[in-house]
């Protein structure tokens, strides 16, 4: 393990461990923890892109969470764990891909929980996924809460199934007396998106003129700052053995494209592909690409289209009531994301607008009742 010198590493309090710290949620979480004066140890892999941690005053531990012994060593002396690391994917993939998703997400979570338990590291906040939350089978667009069970009797993505099993590992650990909480995350938009994420890449492709058509539908989106706040609230005030859903707003894809047009000045594509047509096309394309070009970034996969078709909404009353969670707006998050990618020169279109500096400094708060908007398209 190595450590960078600085204020954070010099604090006398034991560090908190953050896995997945180079990813979108993890990078935002680490920055917030450092801003709050908390000593941070990040768990990294040498082979990954760790640009998100460059220049930050953090302790660095290198390990693969699939390696229990290495994970144990990384956790030594820590107090508090944010387990954010996951293999995120919306494709079915080949056998090797599906195995990687299972081992990283399920076995990796088991190892982190076991290592934290043995090290007496205290509370573990695990990042969950809204895709692992159940829904009303007769009305998928009805708001889902934490009590609704994942429905396994339909076709689901390996990632969805793996995140359900991640929760099983958490409840298994909780049954043994471990202090573990699941912070359920929706689709994230915001800054510090170094990889970038699927939404960040789509924003860049849109602005650079690579997005010629779209398929409508809807989903719950969460601002990066909001899901980070959700993790902190879970660590400070959450009840052991519980999960909490964190979202900012429900948006249709058409509404997201309106925001992309607003921030970039680039007209949105007018061609909307019918969901049945796009789903049939994506089935063929994803089957071919997953087997013969597994490294190709697929945008509209069958799994992603099926999720959008359900137009799922989230009920975040539990997080508001028990934790005091107050979401901000997706509009502000899109402005932050655009400014981040623009400043990194990921926007190459000379017609793209410069970002509004003030739009990323004062996040808007969603008034009660504005967080849920029912779409009549794609339902």
């Amino acid at each position: 393990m190595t450590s960078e010198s600085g204020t954070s590493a010099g604090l006398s309090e034991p560090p908190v461990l953050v896995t997945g710290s180079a990813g979108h949620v993890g990078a935002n979480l680490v920055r917030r923890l450092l801003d709050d004066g908390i000593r941070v140890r990040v768990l990294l892999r040498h082979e990954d892109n760790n640009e998100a941690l460059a220049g930050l005053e953090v302790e660095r531990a290198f390990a693969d969470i699939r390696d229990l012994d290495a994970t144990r060593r990384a956790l030594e002396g820590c107090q508090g764990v944010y387990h954010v690391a996951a293999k995120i994917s919306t494709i079915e993939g080949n056998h090797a891909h599906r195995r990687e998703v299972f081992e990283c997400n399920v076995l990796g979570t088991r190892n982190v929980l076991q290592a934290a338990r043995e090290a007496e590291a205290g509370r573990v906040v695990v990042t969950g996924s809204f895709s692992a939350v159940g829904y009303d089978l007769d009305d998928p667009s009805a708001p889902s809460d934490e009590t609704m069970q994942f429905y396994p009797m339909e076709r689901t993505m390996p990632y969805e199934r793996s995140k359900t099993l991640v929760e099983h590992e958490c409840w298994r650990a909780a049954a043994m007396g471990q202090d573990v909480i699941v912070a359920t995350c929706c689709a994230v938009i915001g800054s510090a998106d170094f990889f970038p994420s699927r939404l960040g890449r789509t924003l860049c492709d849109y602005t650079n003129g690579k997005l010629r058509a779209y398929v409508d539908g809807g989903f719950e989106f969460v601002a990066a700052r909001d899901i980070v706040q959700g993790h902190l609230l879970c660590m400070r005030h959450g009840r052991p053995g519980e999960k909490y859903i964190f979202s900012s707003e429900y948006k249709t894809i058409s509404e997201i494209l309106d925001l992309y047009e607003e921030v970039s000045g680039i007209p949105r594509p007018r061609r909307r592909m019918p969901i049945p047509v796009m789903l049939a096309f994506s089935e063929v394309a994803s089957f071919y690409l997953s087997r013969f070009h597994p490294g190709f970034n697929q945008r509209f996969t069958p799994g992603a289209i099926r999720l959008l078709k359900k137009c799922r909404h989230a009920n975040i009353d539990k997080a508001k009531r028990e934790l005091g969670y107050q979401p901000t707006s997706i509009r502000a998050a899109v402005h932050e994301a655009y400014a981040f990618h623009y400043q990194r020169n990921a926007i190459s279109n000379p017609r793209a607008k410069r970002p509004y500096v003030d739009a990323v400094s004062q996040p808007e708060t969603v008034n009660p009742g504005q967080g849920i908007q029912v779409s009549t398209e794609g339902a």
Side-chain angles (χ1 to χ4, degrees), residues 57-123:
E57 296 176 346
V58 294
E59 299 177 13
R60 286 167 166 77
F62 290 88
D64 190 314
I65 56 174
R66 292 173 289 185
D67 183 335
L68 178 57
D69 288 336
T71 305
R72 284 177 172 135
R73 291 191 293 271
L75 259 159
E76 290 177 1
C78 289
Q79 192 64 33
V81 178
Y82 293 98
H83 176 43
V84 186
K87 173 71 175 180
I88 301 175
S89 171
T90 64
I91 66 172
E92 182 71 22
N94 54 25
H95 173 76
H97 173 80
R98 293 190 294 271
R99 178 167 180 172
E100 182 182 16
V101 169
F102 174 78
E103 291 181 347
C104 288
N105 296 353
V106 183
L107 301 186
T109 298
R110 176 182 293 183
N111 288 342
V112 170
L113 289 170
Q114 181 176 338
R117 193 164 57 246
E118 293 173 354
E120 298 182 350
R123 173 163 291 182

Side-chain angles (χ1 to χ4, degrees), residues 161-345:
R161 297 193 293 273
S162 76
K163 294 301 282 188
T164 303
L165 293 174
V166 163
E167 290 193 10
H168 289 179
E169 291 297 327
C170 294
W171 312 144
R172 174 175 168 269
M176 293 187 289
Q178 188 167 7
D179 187 351
V180 56
I181 297 174
V182 173
T184 300
C185 182
C186 297
V188 185
I189 302 179
S191 61
D193 187 8
F194 288 85
F195 271 31
S197 65
R198 287 176 59 83
L199 281 171
R201 188 168 62 248
T202 301
L203 173 57
C204 294
D205 287 348
Y206 169 95
T207 308
N208 292 330
K210 297 180 181 179
L211 191 66
R212 307 302 176 90
Y214 71 99
V215 56
D216 212 355
F219 199 67
E220 288 283 347
F221 295 86
V222 64
R225 82 177 79 82
D226 287 350
I227 189 59
V228 165
Q229 181 67 9
H231 280 67
L232 299 180
L233 289 171
C234 283
M235 182 64 78
R236 296 168 183 167
H237 307 299
R239 288 189 290 133
E242 295 289 332
K243 74 175 177 179
Y244 299 88
I245 298 173
F246 297 101
S247 175
S248 299
E249 295 180 78
Y250 173 87
K251 291 287 187 184
T252 65
I253 296 302
S254 183
E255 290 169 335
I256 291 293
L257 292 179
D258 286 341
L259 292 175
Y260 285 3
E261 181 173 356
E262 174 187 317
V263 298
S264 68
I266 303 302
R268 52 174 288 173
R270 301 302 174 188
R271 182 184 303 168
R272 187 179 71 180
M273 301 295 293
I275 286 182
V277 172
M278 195 63 183
L279 187 58
F281 172 79
S282 68
E283 291 282 7
V284 176
S286 186
F287 178 87
Y288 171 79
L289 291 171
S290 295
R291 282 153 182 78
F292 299 103
H293 302 279
F296 184 84
N297 288 320
Q298 302 179 40
R299 182 178 291 118
F300 292 113
T301 66
I305 294 173
R306 289 196 303 271
L307 275 180
L308 293 174
K309 182 180 179 182
K310 290 186 175 76
C311 294
R312 296 194 55 192
H313 291 67
N315 182 332
I316 59 174
D317 288 347
K318 181 179 178 182
K320 288 182 174 181
R321 182 179 63 253
E322 295 190 12
L323 306 178
Y325 172 66
Q326 288 297 325
T328 59
S329 82
I330 288 303
R331 180 176 179 270
V334 170
H335 276 273
E336 291 179 356
Y338 181 74
F340 174 81
H341 293 297
Y342 189 96
Q343 290 161 7
R344 283 172 52 80
N345 298 317

Side-chain angles (χ1 to χ4, degrees), residues 130 132-140 142-151 164 167 243 245 312-315:
F130 188 55
V133 177
Y135 57 88
D136 186 332
L137 299 179
D138 298 317
D139 183 9
S144 297
D145 63 23
E146 293 83 354
T147 66
M148 303 181 78
Q149 291 295 318
F150 177 80
Y151 183 64
T164 303
E167 290 193 10
K243 74 175 177 179
I245 298 173
R312 296 194 55 192
H313 291 67
N315 182 332

